[in-house]
Amino acid sequence: MGVAGADQRASDVRLVRAVVVGAMLGGVLLGCEPQAATAAEPKTVAYTHSGVPWIFDETGHQYLIDTGTPRTFVTPHVAGVDGDTFAVQTVEQWDVRGLGGGREVVVTYDLPPAVIPMVGPSFGGILAADLLAERPFVLDPLRSRLVFDDDGDFCDWLTQTEPPVQVPVQVGGGGTACMRPQRCFEHDGMRMLVDVVVEGTPVVALVDTGSTFTSLGSGLQERLGGDGRPTMTVSRGWDTWKFSRLRTLSIADVLVEDAPVRINPDLDAALARLSVETGQRVELLLGHSVLLQFAVGIDYGRERLTLARYVDDRPLETEMFESFGVWLASADQGCWPVVAVAHGTEAHRSGIDVGDCLLSIDGRTAEQMTDVERDIALGSARIEDSLTVTVSDEPTDGGRKLPARAVRLTKRDLLPRQ
């Protein structure tokens, strides 16, 4: 979801538990022996992973690292173009930390629908598969770095991980994509598909670093059957998201247990188009909520995915399931706006809704507590801990507090493991 101020889980709790197991789909376990020098020097770029991975250019614009989008997008204001436009062109003097310079990109504000909720004033574009395919790279969320290295096995960068597993993938697709009528572009595809096994069912998945959650449509949900799975529904004002857990998801020699997934019926049409484009039945987006557990190496040229599971127990930025049931934006005019509410929680039953304002948390107001202090207070609480919030269904007026009511909230595991 990537909402601002999402409740961070305590360090003793893991969202996804992954273990290396016996061979299932032909992955190769690497020994990580010293490698010969490569033709090009590695390039390291810092990034943040708040729900999905972002990097920033020198001017402060942020770019999504998105293997699920086939062609790189740049917004018109970054390209120096006035007003709404749609053009495929080379943008002079544009690159991001040395990436993308001299490349032909799509210049537009028309973005993939899944990206639009992430767009803010600092949004600069999407670094997509066409650019990312130029050199092998590894996403290392433990150190918040993106490393481009022609070596392709990434051993020099993999510390504090279990032995890495190389997984064969298929790279293909291509054709015409349209954001809306008369706004279309050609692309070579560069769709990275990987065979996975979901609860014993073979499935083809798209490796999609730009998707906050591993996601499936209603078609795969029906194939798997939904009986007995925990579910959670979250309202975000303009839509609702439903979450569940997969008992097992195997990617070659790596087993992920209790993997959190978003169930999105609207995804069926997009997956159908992707299946036509690639000639395979694609039913799953392998997103950041699972990939964040690993240092993830992506090598389009050699058609392989490298997964090295971290061995330390660290908090996950995509965690949202152990929560007080509300998610908050940054403080604004003396309150924290509510941006999402989980159904079935005390917050939901008390009538707290998206757009309401939290004026205080356990007696401390938004003026007395920074957003960071708020996140620490919420994230450090344990399951069954309670706190009292004051909430108003109207924003503050010039700093004047409007009538508010007190609500007692309890932190719960909203999507328990199976």
Side-chain angles (χ1 to χ4, degrees), residues 242-289:
K242 184 177 181 180
F243 297 92
S244 185
R245 288 192 185 274
L246 301 176
R247 298 180 183 89
T248 59
L249 188 156
S250 301
I251 313 167
D253 305 332
V254 178
L255 173 67
V256 180
E257 298 177 304
D258 288 323
V261 292
R262 181 189 170 198
I263 300 171
N264 180 10
D266 293 337
L267 193 58
D268 288 332
L271 290 175
R273 290 192 297 270
L274 187 59
S275 297
V276 171
E277 177 187 322
T278 61
Q280 298 198 54
R281 185 181 180 183
V282 184
E283 297 183 274
L284 188 74
L285 300 184
L286 186 59
H288 207 55
S289 60

Side-chain angles (χ1 to χ4, degrees), residues 83-377:
D84 185 25
T85 187
F86 188 93
V88 179
Q89 64 185 76
T90 299
V91 180
E92 300 296 337
Q93 307 301 319
W94 175 80
D95 68 12
V96 183
R97 305 293 179 182
L99 305 174
R103 289 208 51 101
E104 190 178 71
V105 298
V106 180
V107 179
T108 183
Y109 289 121
D110 288 318
L111 299 168
V115 175
I116 292 174
M118 306 179 193
V119 173
S122 65
F123 183 80
I126 302 171
L127 304 185
D130 59 337
L131 186 151
L132 297 171
E134 291 185 347
R135 293 181 66 182
F137 66 93
V138 60
L139 284 167
D140 182 6
L142 182 63
R143 297 167 188 82
S144 298
R145 65 184 181 181
L146 170 69
V147 182
F148 288 84
D149 188 353
D150 290 350
D151 188 288
D153 65 11
F154 312 114
C155 285
D156 292 341
W157 311 100
L158 301 179
T159 59
Q160 300 183 48
T161 70
E162 294 179 351
V165 176
Q166 285 185 344
V167 183
V169 299
Q170 307 88 46
V171 177
T176 302
C178 296
M179 307 316 298
R180 51 183 162 129
Q182 281 70 59
R183 293 202 162 183
C184 303
F185 59 90
E186 300 297 320
H187 64 93
D188 294 331
M190 307 308 294
R191 306 291 198 179
M192 180 169 279
L193 306 180
V194 61
D195 294 323
V196 301
V197 175
V198 178
E199 298 181 354
T201 300
V203 173
V204 177
L206 173 71
V207 179
D208 188 359
T209 60
S211 177
T212 305
F213 291 96
T214 294
S215 302
L216 60 137
S218 56
L220 180 57
Q221 181 191 18
E222 292 174 2
R223 282 221 295 153
L224 297 174
D227 295 341
R229 284 194 183 85
T231 60
M232 182 183 77
T233 301
V234 174
S235 292
R236 304 194 306 158
W238 63 92
D239 65 4
T240 58
W241 282 16
K242 184 177 181 180
F243 297 92
S244 185
R245 288 192 185 274
L246 301 176
R247 298 180 183 89
T248 59
L249 188 156
S250 301
I251 313 167
D253 305 332
V254 178
L255 173 67
V256 180
E257 298 177 304
D258 288 323
V261 292
R262 181 189 170 198
I263 300 171
N264 180 10
D266 293 337
L267 193 58
D268 288 332
L271 290 175
R273 290 192 297 270
L274 187 59
S275 297
V276 171
E277 177 187 322
T278 61
Q280 298 198 54
R281 185 181 180 183
V282 184
E283 297 183 274
L284 188 74
L285 300 184
L286 186 59
H288 207 55
S289 60
V290 168
L291 296 177
L292 189 61
Q293 298 300 302
F294 308 93
V296 179
I298 294 180
D299 189 337
Y300 284 88
R302 298 178 180 90
E303 296 198 335
R304 68 190 184 196
L305 177 72
T306 301
L307 297 175
R309 181 201 168 197
Y310 291 112
V311 296
D312 70 317
D313 193 13
R314 59 198 179 89
L316 301 179
E317 296 219 19
T318 53
E319 174 55 88
M320 60 172 292
F321 304 119
E322 294 182 359
S323 169
F324 289 96
V326 295
W327 293 272
L328 309 172
S330 297
D332 182 30
Q333 297 186 26
C335 84
W336 292 293
V338 176
V339 294
V341 179
H343 292 201
T345 62
E346 288 97 336
H348 184 243
R349 289 193 296 270
S350 72
I352 295 178
D353 201 356
V354 174
D356 290 353
C357 280
L358 258 64
L359 304 177
S360 70
I361 298 174
D362 270 350
R364 298 182 68 189
T365 67
E367 289 96 342
Q368 297 170 331
M369 184 188 302
T370 67
D371 292 338
V372 172
E373 290 171 333
R374 174 204 68 190
D375 291 343
I376 291 173

